[in-house]
Amino acid sequence: VQLQASGGGLAQAGGSLSLSCAASGDITSVDDMGWYRQRPDKERELVATISRSGTPNYAHSVKGRFTISRDNAKNTVYLRMNSLKLEDTAQYYCKADHVWGSTNSPRDYWGQGTQVTVSS
C-alpha cells in the first residue's frame, strides 16, 4: 500500500491551498484518514481526520479554516486550507488508519510529506 500526497506549495497569508492524498495497492477498505503536520523543531501534530462515514475532526488551530473530505471509492483524502496563517507553514503528512486488504490484517500507513509554506 502506498499513499501519494500532492498539492501544497507556497501561498500568501490569507490565501488558500489544497492537498490530496490517494491510497493505492492491496486495499479493500480504509477506516480513518487524516492529515498531520510537522513544523520546524516541533512534534508532528494532528491537523484533521475523517472517518469512513465522513465524520470530521479538527485541531482547534485549524477549525473553521480547513476542510477535510474523502472519496471512499478512490481511497483519497483531501484538505482544503483557507485563510492560511504564517504558522500553518509545515510539512504535511497524510495517514490512513486500519487499511484492510486481502491479508485481513489491518495496518496504518503514512504518505510522504508535502510542504506548505505561507508567506506574509
Side-chain angles (χ1 to χ4, degrees), residues 1-4 22-27 74-75:
V1 175
Q2 290 187 328
L3 270 62
Q4 182 66 48
S24 61
D26 180 19
I27 300 171
K74 297 180 179 179
N75 293 317

Side-chain angles (χ1 to χ4, degrees), residues 2 11 29 51 58 73 82 85 89 92 94-96 104 106 108 118:
Q2 290 187 328
S29 69
S51 70
Y58 296 99
N82 295 329
K85 302 178 180 181
T89 294
Y92 283 70
C94 59
K95 187 182 181 200
N104 206 33
D108 298 347
V118 183

Side-chain angles (χ1 to χ4, degrees), residues 16-19 65-69 78-82:
S16 299
L17 284 172
S18 293
L19 305 179
R65 299 188 298 120
F66 290 10
T67 301
I68 190 169
S69 60
Y78 306 94
L79 187 69
R80 177 65 177 176
M81 303 180 289
N82 295 329

Side-chain angles (χ1 to χ4, degrees), residues 1-117:
V1 175
Q2 290 187 328
L3 270 62
Q4 182 66 48
S6 60
L10 178 65
Q12 287 193 321
S16 299
L17 284 172
S18 293
L19 305 179
S20 65
C21 177
S24 61
D26 180 19
I27 300 171
T28 54
S29 69
V30 182
D31 289 352
D32 289 2
M33 301 186 79
W35 292 95
Y36 295 72
R37 67 186 181 188
Q38 189 164 14
R39 291 175 278 188
D41 300 322
K42 299 285 187 180
E43 295 284 323
R44 190 173 296 188
E45 62 181 1
L46 180 146
V47 175
T49 61
I50 185 167
S51 70
R52 181 167 179 78
S53 62
T55 301
N57 175 53
Y58 296 99
H60 178 75
S61 60
V62 307
K63 195 173 290 186
R65 299 188 298 120
F66 290 10
T67 301
I68 190 169
S69 60
R70 66 187 285 175
D71 183 333
N72 290 334
K74 297 180 179 179
N75 293 317
T76 299
V77 62
Y78 306 94
L79 187 69
R80 177 65 177 176
M81 303 180 289
N82 295 329
S83 303
L84 284 163
K85 302 178 180 181
L86 297 179
E87 53 263 41
D88 293 320
T89 294
Q91 191 83 347
Y92 283 70
Y93 297 88
C94 59
K95 187 182 181 200
D97 290 335
H98 289 95
V99 178
W100 295 83
S102 60
T103 63
N104 206 33
S105 178
R107 285 188 54 187
D108 298 347
Y109 293 90
W110 288 92
Q112 88 285 6
T114 185
Q115 180 67 32
V116 170
T117 302

